[in-house]
Amino acid sequence: MSLKIYWDRVTEKHSIKLMNYLNERISGLTETYDMVGDMKITNLSLGSKPPKFEIVQISDPDALILGSKSPNGIELRAKISYDGDAFIEIQAEFKVNLPTPNFISFPVNVKVSNPIFSGIATVIYDTDKVCFCFLPENGDSPDDFTPLKDVKFETQLGDSAQQVLVDLDKLQNFIVDLIKTYLKKYLVFPNKMTIPLNEFNN
């Protein structure tokens, strides 16, 4: 059974909330990459096209996913796919660490757009929270699975008033790895995103 999503009810306020949520969690992911300094998302849009959902199962919550048994919750599993015009814009610092650390730094602006992803997702509605995650498919381990299939890049390295280098493969590969790492760390089981229900009322 497919679900109809009223995507026009998603407003700029929701995009800003999501951007702030991601910025709170993205800083620690750059610590293992010595060529990248401070990073933040400066703009985010959830796009005009909704994702597609096809319900696979409705049941009591899976205690392994939720973390405990819940007599009052409900779990929905669905095939989810997206091929739309959502985007995020990222501002970061690209560092050259030779001959000394932080020898040279460049401002970097990256626009990541038109993502394509698919997978089995589960949403658990409990009494005081909502949990969401993707489930590895076809026997994949969490380390091998990613729902992200493709994405478009526009990359600018340097000051726009000076010389600019565009489409840097190394930087783009880093951004792809960063996104996949973020998805695995927060959105692929056994990890999950948990949102208190009072967040929806703010």
Side-chain angles (χ1 to χ4, degrees):
M1 180 175 67
S2 298
L3 296 177
K4 183 176 181 180
I5 302 173
Y6 295 92
W7 203 246
D8 56 334
R9 297 181 183 177
V10 176
T11 66
E12 183 180 359
K13 179 181 71 174
H14 299 101
S15 295
I16 292 173
K17 279 190 173 184
L18 179 58
M19 181 176 69
N20 292 337
Y21 179 89
L22 294 175
N23 273 328
E24 289 175 0
R25 288 156 178 79
I26 200 172
S27 57
L29 294 177
T30 63
E31 294 176 356
T32 56
Y33 299 90
D34 58 3
M35 68 177 185
V36 178
D38 293 336
M39 174 181 289
K40 66 176 180 179
I41 299 170
T42 56
N43 194 12
L44 182 150
S45 171
L46 294 173
S48 60
K49 299 179 181 179
K52 296 179 180 179
F53 286 90
E54 182 181 344
I55 296 176
V56 175
Q57 174 183 317
I58 298 176
S59 64
D60 293 334
D62 187 327
L64 289 176
I65 296 176
L66 187 61
S68 62
K69 292 184 178 181
S70 173
N72 301 315
I74 187 170
E75 177 179 353
L76 183 149
R77 292 191 184 186
K79 292 181 180 179
I80 179 173
S81 61
Y82 182 81
D83 184 358
D85 54 353
F87 70 84
I88 59 174
E89 294 179 357
I90 301 170
Q91 187 179 77
E93 180 185 38
F94 188 76
K95 298 186 294 185
V96 177
N97 294 311
L98 292 173
T100 62
N102 299 323
F103 184 66
I104 302 174
S105 65
F106 300 93
V108 179
N109 293 285
V110 180
K111 182 176 182 180
V112 184
S113 61
N114 302 93
I116 298 174
F117 64 82
S118 63
I120 302 294
T122 182
V123 180
I124 297 178
Y125 180 90
D126 201 12
T127 52
D128 59 349
K129 59 183 175 293
V130 173
C131 297
F132 174 87
C133 67
F134 284 97
L135 303 175
E137 299 178 83
N138 303 321
D140 289 340
S141 71
D143 291 335
D144 297 329
F145 172 75
T146 175
L148 182 66
K149 309 306 180 185
D150 197 11
V151 72
K152 178 182 177 182
F153 281 94
E154 297 174 41
T155 308
Q156 176 180 300
L157 175 62
D159 190 330
S160 60
Q162 302 176 11
Q163 184 177 5
V164 171
L165 301 176
V166 182
D167 296 332
L168 299 167
D169 290 341
K170 187 174 183 180
L171 182 61
Q172 291 180 2
N173 290 337
F174 161 74
I175 296 294
V176 170
D177 288 343
L178 184 66
I179 293 173
K180 290 181 177 179
T181 298
Y182 187 94
L183 290 172
K184 291 176 183 178
K185 185 173 182 179
Y186 292 106
L187 293 179
V188 175
F189 182 77
N191 302 308
K192 62 181 182 291
M193 180 182 291
T194 301
I195 304 174
L197 287 178
N198 58 18
E199 290 285 334
F200 293 100
N201 299 321
N202 295 332

